[in-house]
Each structure stands twice: as C-alpha cells, then as structure tokens.
C-alpha cells in the first residue's frame, strides 16, 4: 500500500464511528453467537469444510449479522457485495447478479451477496434471487430483524440455512468495550481515561446486548468530554446514552412478548408478569389487546379455582376503556398481579377440548327423549319430555337421571382454590346422577 493510500485509508477510518472501526477482521476476533459459531457448531463446521451455502441471519440489531457476513466472504475467498433492501431495488440486484455470472465465467471468485433488511424486499424482488441462488451463482446471506419464516418468501427460506442471532451477553459486551478502550490503532487506546469500576459493567448491562449501541455510547462519552484524563464514570455514560428504546416494531416482538406475559401469569410469577406488561406498554401495545388476552387467561388458566378472576378481568377491560392511558396501566397491573397469584385450573379448558374431540371423532349423541323440547302440541305423541324429572322438586336440587345418554367425565376439578370445594360437591352429584342414569330411555 502506497503512502497516499495509507493516508486516505486513515482519513476514512478516523471519520467512521467507533463501532465500524472495531469490526472484527477475523473469525477469532468475532464475539458472540457461539451456539452456531463455536467449535464443533454448525456454521463453524461449514466454514471449516468450505461448504458455506446461502443463509439467513435473523436477530436483533448490533449482534454481528453484517460483520459475520463480511467474515464469511473473507474466510471462503468470495467477493463480497452488499445491498440494502431499504435503498436498492431490482435494477441494482440484477446488476450484481450479472456481474457475479461474468466473474464466474472468466474464472474469477464466486460472490457472496449480503442483503441487509431482506424482509423489506417485496415478493417479486425476493423471487429475482431464486434462480441464481439455486444455481450457485451467488451465495446469499440475508439479514433480518423479523422472523424469516413469516417475512421472507418460503422458497428463499427453503434454499437457505437460518441462523438465529441472540443478544450479546454482558460478558461479551464487556470484552468488546475493553478491546475498544485498549486498541491504539482502531479504538480509543490513545485517549487518557480513568475508568470507574462499575462504569463499563453498567454500559454492558444496559445496552440490551447491542454491541453497536454500547460502542457508540462509549465513543460519545469520550469525545464529548474535554477533560483529560476522561473520567469514564457511570454518570457520564448515562448522560451519553440515547434514551432507551423498546424494540417493538415487528410481529415477533408483539407475539413473543404476549406469550411471555401469559406464560408468566400462568406460572404464578407476578414479577415477571409486571415486567412483560411494562415492556408491552412502553412499546405502544394496544390496551384492548392486553385486556382481551387477560380475560381469556382468566378462564383458560384460572377458571373455577378462583371464580372472581374472570369478573375482575372483565372489570379491568371496562375500566381501561373509561380511563385510558397512562392511568389504566394501574388497573392492568392490579389485574396481572391478581391473576398471577390466583390458584390455577385449566379443568374447564380441558373439558371443552375433550368434548369437541368426541364430537369430531365419534358418533354425535342424540338428545335423550326426556330432555327434548315438549312445549308444542304434538310433542307428547313423540314421547318428548316423558319421564323428565324437575330438579327443583328434589331436596338437593339434583334429580337422578341422565343428561347425556352415555357416561362421560369431561370436567375434572382440580384440588386447588374454590375448585377443591367443587370437586367434593361434584363427586356426590355424579353418584346420584349415575344411580338413575339407566332408568330412562335414550331413543
């Protein structure tokens, strides 16, 4: 490299953000995603065997998707080309694909095409990739923050290996921060700093596993402080960080968060329930959607173990309509904590499921004659209502007769909460019902 080229390169690199300058240049420098990139894991084995095919990198921002795509091209000796689905169209895509074919035809290296935000390509744009991916003209690596099984064409997904990126752990972010602080060529190693013991740990814990955010915050803190040495404290980093944004702009975040909320309440953990409720509210979730799901949960997971759960959930929904945000978050919080602490039973849920399965898989039971409608003139000629026993004529309001015509037990109360009382009551009721079940005709 000539002196002029070196000067030009240094000028470009000095203008780049710290996160861009600190991108790993080898796989050994790459931090995170060890579940598929660690020794013996799938992607590492494919790299070692030089069998890397098209892939889709799916995960949150700042977890290394773009960087790993560049490293794959370097490791496999492929030409790296990059497109952004938000900035480029089919014309740009076809130009790169044509160039890749020409390059292969003249004995040049194969091309690794990295498409950032691939889910933002429409169907026809994604379809334009299929033939060249199928023929091996390009190795496609698409990056997306949305679930590719919903956001990317199934034909493209079937031709690709999907790798899910996870947020970096606190230790992994700490590793990257220390590297940036000590690196004198690309990082901040030439800056005199006094690093507080808890400062980096605070930054690593509050960046949500986003390495880019952590490095950008570190750079802002250092460059915005004229004092030397820079007092790199927790307070300085707090002041330098952008306001925390809740990632809640796609269907994955919506469905994953409500799944976590429901499962936390079902699991009787009010603290986790409150956290997921807060996350959804901060992300702008529709309050009506939350109320609907809480009403469903009150019946599905609490049921008769606490009969007050459903009325409370309904009252919550009505109160939220009257009050609105932000105050209705108090009502939602009360409901979530009550439902989480309530005794749990899915006996009613199981009962309706089993009854519907019997209807689908077996013979549909006729209504027993004594239960059929008898309020019209000719009903008695058909025997409808004959032999019916009016329950309130019995001392305990339970008549010994069959109401189904066959013996089935769908509702099995659990021995928790109010259902434990229902369980004892129902055992006595069923004994009496069965004692008279065979005395009446069913046809």
């Amino acid at each position: 490299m000539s002196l002029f080229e070196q000067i030009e390169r240094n000028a470009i690199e000095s203008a780049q953000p710290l996160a861009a300058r600190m991108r790993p240049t080898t796989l050994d420098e790459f931090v995170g995603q060890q579940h598929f990139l660690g020794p013996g894991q799938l992607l590492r084995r494919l790299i070692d065997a030089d069998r890397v095919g098209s892939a889709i990198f799916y995960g949150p921002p700042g977890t290394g998707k773009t960087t790993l795509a560049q490293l794959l091209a370097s490791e496999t000796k492929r030409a790296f080309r990059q497109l952004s689905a938000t900035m480029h169209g089919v014309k740009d895509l076809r130009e790169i694909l044509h160039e890749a074919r020409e390059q292969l035809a003249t004995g040049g290296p194969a091309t690794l095409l990295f498409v950032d935000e691939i889910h933002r390509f429409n169907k026809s744009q994604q379809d334009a990739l299929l033939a060249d991916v199928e023929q091996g003209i390009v190795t496609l690596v698409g990056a997306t923050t949305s679930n590719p099984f919903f956001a990317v064409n199934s034909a493209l997904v079937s031709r690709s290996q999907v790798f899910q990126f996870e947020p970096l752990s606190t230790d992994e972010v700490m590793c990257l921060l220390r590297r940036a602080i000590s690196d004198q060529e690309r990082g901040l190693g030439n800056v005199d700093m006094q690093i507080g013991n808890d400062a980096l740990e605070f930054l690593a814990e509050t960046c949500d596993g986003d390495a880019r955010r952590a490095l950008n915050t570190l750079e802002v803190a250092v460059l915005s402080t004229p004092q030397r040495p820079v007092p790199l404290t927790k307070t300085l980093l707090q002041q330098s960080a952008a306001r925390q944004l809740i990632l809640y702009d796609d269907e994955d975040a919506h469905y994953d968060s409500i799944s976590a909320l429901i499962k936390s309440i079902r699991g009787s953990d009010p603290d986790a329930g409150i956290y997921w409720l807060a996350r959804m509210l901060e992300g702008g979730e529709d309050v009506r959607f939350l109320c609907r799901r809480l009403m469903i949960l009150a019946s599905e997971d609490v049921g008769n173990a606490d009969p007050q759960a459903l009325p409370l959930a309904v009252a919550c929904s009505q109160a939220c309509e009257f009050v609105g945000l932000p105050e209705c978050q108090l009502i939602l919080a009360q409901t979530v904590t009550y439902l989480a602490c309530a005794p749990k039973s899915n006996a009613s849920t199981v009962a309706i499921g089993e009854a519907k399965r019997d209807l689908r898989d077996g013979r549909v039971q006729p209504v027993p004659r004594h239960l059929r409608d008898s309020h019209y003139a000719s009903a008695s000629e058909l025997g409808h209502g004959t032999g019916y026993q009016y329950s309130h004529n019995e001392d305990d309001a339970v008549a010994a007769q069959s109401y189904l015509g066959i013996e089935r037990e769908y509702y099995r109360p659990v021995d928790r909460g109010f259902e434990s009382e229902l369980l004892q009551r129902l055992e006595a009721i069923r004994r009496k019902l069965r004692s008279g079940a065979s005395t009446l005709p069913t046809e």
Side-chain angles (χ1 to χ4, degrees):
M1 182 181 298
S2 68
L3 178 59
F4 175 78
E5 289 174 330
Q6 183 64 52
I7 293 174
E8 184 180 39
R9 176 182 173 182
N10 291 341
I12 293 174
E13 289 183 348
S14 64
Q16 289 181 326
L18 178 63
R21 301 199 307 272
M22 291 304 301
R23 284 189 189 277
T25 56
T26 67
L27 277 177
D28 290 336
E29 289 185 5
F30 190 86
V31 174
Q33 317 312 327
Q34 294 303 295
H35 56 289
F36 60 74
L37 197 57
Q41 300 300 323
L42 177 57
L43 186 53
R44 175 68 72 168
R45 296 200 312 270
L46 291 173
I47 294 170
D48 293 341
D50 196 18
R51 288 291 184 270
V52 175
S54 292
I56 294 176
F57 290 170
Y58 158 49
T63 52
K65 298 187 293 295
T66 303
T67 298
L68 186 54
Q70 294 173 341
L71 293 176
L72 286 181
S74 175
E75 291 286 329
T76 58
K77 307 287 192 296
R78 289 175 169 88
F80 181 78
R81 298 300 305 272
Q82 180 172 351
L83 289 176
S84 172
T86 60
M87 298 173 60
H88 301 96
V90 172
K91 180 177 180 294
D92 304 298
L93 179 59
R94 294 194 188 283
E95 287 178 359
I96 290 180
L97 294 177
H98 176 74
E99 179 185 311
R101 290 191 206 98
E102 292 291 318
Q103 199 161 265
L104 276 180
T106 57
T111 298
L112 187 147
L113 172 59
F114 176 68
V115 181
D116 197 14
E117 309 253 20
I118 192 171
H119 62 282
R120 297 192 184 277
F121 269 163
N122 60 36
K123 186 178 186 300
S124 63
Q125 290 172 312
Q126 293 183 28
D127 285 344
L129 286 162
L130 288 175
D132 292 280
V133 169
E134 184 75 36
Q135 297 170 22
I137 302 299
V138 294
T139 298
L140 171 69
V141 175
T144 176
T145 56
S146 297
N147 192 325
F149 295 103
F150 300 120
V152 180
N153 287 1
S154 57
L156 206 54
V157 172
S158 69
R159 290 164 172 79
S160 307
Q161 183 75 45
V162 177
F163 295 99
Q164 184 168 5
F165 284 59
E166 298 292 345
L168 272 63
S169 69
T170 300
D171 289 341
E172 288 168 343
V173 177
M174 287 284 287
C175 174
L176 293 174
L177 291 172
R178 291 193 182 101
R179 183 186 296 172
I181 289 173
S182 62
D183 193 313
Q184 295 185 353
E185 293 185 7
R186 299 177 295 166
L188 304 171
N190 293 318
V191 179
D192 189 11
M193 285 182 276
Q194 289 180 337
I195 304 173
N197 293 330
D198 59 344
L200 293 186
E201 186 173 347
F202 162 79
L203 181 54
E205 289 177 348
T206 58
C207 71
D208 285 345
D210 185 332
R212 185 185 301 112
R213 187 197 301 178
L215 291 170
N216 286 345
T217 300
L218 175 65
E219 184 175 36
V220 169
V222 172
L223 297 184
S224 63
T225 305
Q227 183 179 343
R228 291 297 183 269
V230 177
L232 199 61
T233 62
K234 178 179 175 180
T235 301
L236 177 61
L237 292 172
Q238 282 178 315
Q239 295 171 348
S240 304
R243 182 183 179 274
Q244 181 84 332
L245 296 177
I246 305 298
L247 293 176
Y248 204 79
D249 59 352
D250 58 48
E251 289 189 357
D252 280 348
H254 167 80
Y255 288 112
D256 287 348
S257 296
I258 192 60
S259 177
L261 174 62
I262 295 303
K263 289 171 181 173
S264 298
I265 298 174
R266 180 184 298 146
S268 300
D269 188 338
D271 303 307
I274 284 291
Y275 178 87
W276 296 119
L277 172 66
R279 174 172 172 176
M280 297 184 80
L281 289 172
E282 284 293 301
E285 183 57 78
D286 182 1
V287 170
R288 292 178 181 176
F289 170 75
L290 290 169
C291 290
R292 288 196 299 270
R293 293 309 303 262
L294 291 176
M295 286 189 284
I296 294 168
L297 180 140
S299 280
E300 180 181 4
D301 294 302
V302 178
N304 289 327
D306 185 347
Q308 295 303 313
L310 181 56
L312 178 68
V314 173
C316 170
S317 178
Q318 294 171 340
C320 286
E321 285 283 351
F322 280 112
V323 174
L325 286 170
E327 288 86 356
C328 76
Q329 65 184 319
L330 308 176
I331 301 162
L332 286 165
Q334 177 189 350
T335 305
V336 165
T337 51
Y338 183 94
L339 294 176
C341 295
K344 304 298 189 296
S345 171
N346 70 341
S348 299
T349 302
V350 171
I352 188 64
E354 290 183 359
K356 291 183 69 175
R357 187 164 56 251
D358 276 359
L359 283 167
R360 289 193 302 264
D361 299 343
R363 179 183 178 220
V364 176
Q365 294 300 315
V367 177
R369 283 188 181 182
H370 63 290
L371 299 183
R372 294 178 187 176
D373 180 26
S374 61
H375 291 87
Y376 58 97
S378 301
S380 59
E381 297 179 14
L382 298 173
H384 292 185
T386 301
Y388 171 67
Q389 301 175 58
Y390 187 54
S391 297
H392 292 286
N393 290 336
E394 303 294 326
D395 292 338
D396 56 0
V398 178
Q401 62 186 342
S402 171
Y403 292 92
L404 185 56
I406 57 174
E407 187 174 316
R408 288 286 189 277
E409 283 191 10
Y410 294 117
Y411 181 49
R412 296 182 291 276
V414 300
D415 193 16
R416 290 188 294 276
F418 181 69
E419 271 200 341
S420 61
E421 181 179 333
L422 290 181
L423 178 61
Q424 296 178 14
R425 189 187 308 174
L426 186 56
E427 287 175 348
I429 290 172
R430 281 174 173 160
R431 281 196 298 270
K432 186 169 183 181
L433 293 178
R434 287 165 183 163
S435 69
S438 59
T439 63
L440 295 169
T442 58
E443 293 295 340

